Amino acid sequence: MAIEAAILEQIKHYQTIIIHRHQHPDPDCIGAQLGLRTILRASFPDKTVKAVGKHYPGFDWLGQADTDVTDADYREALVIVVDTANQPRVDDDRWRTGKAVVKIDHHPNDDAFGDLQWVRDQASSTSELLYDFYAANADELTLPVEAARLFYAGIVGDTGRFMYPATSAHTLEVAGKLMTTGFSASDVNQAEDEISPAMARLSAYVYQHLTILPSGAAYLKLSDADLEPFELGETDSTSAVVPLPGKITTVKAWAFFVEAKDHTYRIRLRSKGPSINGLAKAHGGGGHALASGATAHDQAEIDQVVQELDALVAQDKGE
């Protein structure tokens, strides 16, 4: 049985389906999660379908998770975890308490959790993958316009407006099919492109303070003290400035170090060529070849990551 059909059989078997996503969400994980919820509610109106996760006001234009999910709801529930590479990143630990778990993701499957897994790391996004799930079962599933809008938003987000290498001919074909349902693609594009005045000032700070090494590696540390003057609001996220160094011609790969509440630093690694997910794994993280994340516990580890990134880029250039 094809994996798409096997997942649908699991969904049919359960009366309650609870969909989880990863922590610190982005448009793809929210679009995938809420888009799947929309499809399942439309296709199986007799079932209870919920989505859980911390509320981020900046993503309210995509929709919101459900706030009425109780511990008891999990006892006989199918849990579907979308767009989440490893177990520690799942938002809301109750996902472990369901009767069965399905993992649907487009990151490398280094943490193969779940009773049933559908992982295709060649896909541009989990939203693209979930459209393929719908298409494979189109005779039994309904695709509302809202689900199409959400999947399109997820694809736009994870492809960097169709600029990243994971954008395939199939990605563009899926985006085109989604657009035929009638939502405003331009409204979605505008929502994903807009930033607040505070984020505009932070963007200028990034360009002014980014360190670019001779190899083409670049880095920037953003501590709480650095960020305080910008008075970022609840709807602002430093993730919005992460792509900026990639616009500079001499930058080949880069790292952002953003201070977390526990005073460790979240590392966001990006590349235009050399693979950086091995570097991320060496520091407790992982991800795609050109977009990964990890954690630095102190300044010494930050310095180590910078040195390793510098060497990686220099090696890729043959220096």
Side-chain angles (χ1 to χ4, degrees):
M1 180 185 294
I3 186 63
E4 299 94 331
I7 293 172
L8 182 59
E9 285 303 307
Q10 283 288 293
I11 290 169
K12 289 179 180 178
H13 182 72
Y14 287 88
Q15 182 60 31
T16 300
I17 297 101
I18 304 175
I19 310 169
H20 285 246
R21 65 184 185 228
H22 64 70
Q23 301 168 4
H24 308 292
D26 54 32
D28 183 37
C29 83
I30 294 179
Q33 180 194 40
L34 302 188
L36 180 59
R37 181 183 66 179
T38 303
I39 284 177
L40 296 185
R41 284 179 173 177
S43 305
F44 304 103
D46 59 318
K47 294 183 182 294
T48 298
V49 184
K50 301 286 188 177
V52 299
K54 182 180 177 181
H55 179 224
Y56 290 84
F59 289 121
D60 281 351
W61 64 276
L62 288 170
Q64 296 183 23
D66 299 287
T67 59
D68 59 347
V69 182
T70 68
D71 294 350
D73 292 332
Y74 285 85
R75 291 174 188 160
E76 300 296 327
L78 172 67
V79 174
I80 302 177
V81 180
V82 301
D83 199 42
T84 309
N86 51 62
Q87 297 176 63
R89 290 202 69 202
V90 182
D91 191 344
D92 196 319
D93 288 340
R94 293 179 297 172
W95 71 272
R96 302 175 184 272
T97 64
K99 290 286 287 186
V101 175
V102 174
K103 176 184 181 181
I104 302 176
D105 189 27
H106 75 120
H107 300 92
N109 198 21
D110 296 326
D111 185 356
F113 65 89
D115 302 288
L116 187 62
Q117 302 164 30
W118 185 26
V119 178
R120 195 169 75 206
D121 58 12
Q122 300 89 353
S124 72
S125 56
T126 301
S127 293
E128 177 184 319
L129 202 54
L130 282 170
Y131 174 83
D132 290 340
F133 166 72
Y134 155 74
N137 299 292
D139 56 336
E140 299 186 73
L141 296 176
T142 299
L143 180 70
V145 175
E146 176 61 6
R149 183 184 78 93
L150 288 163
F151 287 162
Y152 177 83
I155 292 171
V156 168
D158 253 28
T159 61
R161 321 301 189 268
F162 306 106
M163 290 196 307
Y164 298 158
T167 305
S168 66
H170 180 66
T171 304
L172 297 175
E173 179 184 11
V174 169
K177 289 178 178 177
L178 292 170
M179 289 174 65
T180 64
T181 63
F183 68 90
S184 173
S186 60
D187 285 351
V188 172
N189 297 338
Q190 184 68 26
E192 296 212 35
D193 198 51
E194 286 182 339
I195 58 174
S196 68
M199 290 304 297
R201 292 192 295 272
L202 179 59
S203 298
Y205 179 91
V206 167
Y207 281 130
Q208 185 176 4
H209 291 85
L210 183 73
T211 298
I212 304 175
L213 302 174
S215 66
Y219 66 94
L220 178 66
K221 184 174 81 170
L222 293 171
S223 67
D224 287 342
D226 294 326
L227 293 171
E228 185 177 2
F230 297 99
E231 299 181 340
L232 301 178
E234 289 185 351
T235 60
D236 296 316
S237 170
T238 55
S239 62
V241 300
V242 173
L244 296 182
K247 298 179 182 294
I248 302 173
T249 57
T250 56
V251 172
K252 304 305 178 186
W254 61 100
F256 274 85
F257 303 92
V258 182
E259 188 171 4
K261 290 182 180 179
D262 62 359
H263 302 299
T264 62
Y265 280 80
R266 184 178 181 189
I267 309 171
R268 291 186 171 102
L269 291 162
R270 298 293 185 268
S271 175
K272 295 193 287 188
S275 175
I276 40 79
N277 59 350
L279 174 56
K281 289 178 184 178
H283 294 272
H288 297 287
L290 304 181
S292 294
T295 300
H297 294 87
D298 51 31
Q299 183 61 48
E301 189 167 9
I302 290 175
D303 294 341
Q304 182 183 356
V305 170
V306 170
Q307 292 172 6
E308 292 171 354
L309 182 64
D310 186 28
L312 187 68
V313 177
Q315 182 180 20
D316 185 72
K317 291 173 63 179
E319 296 180 356

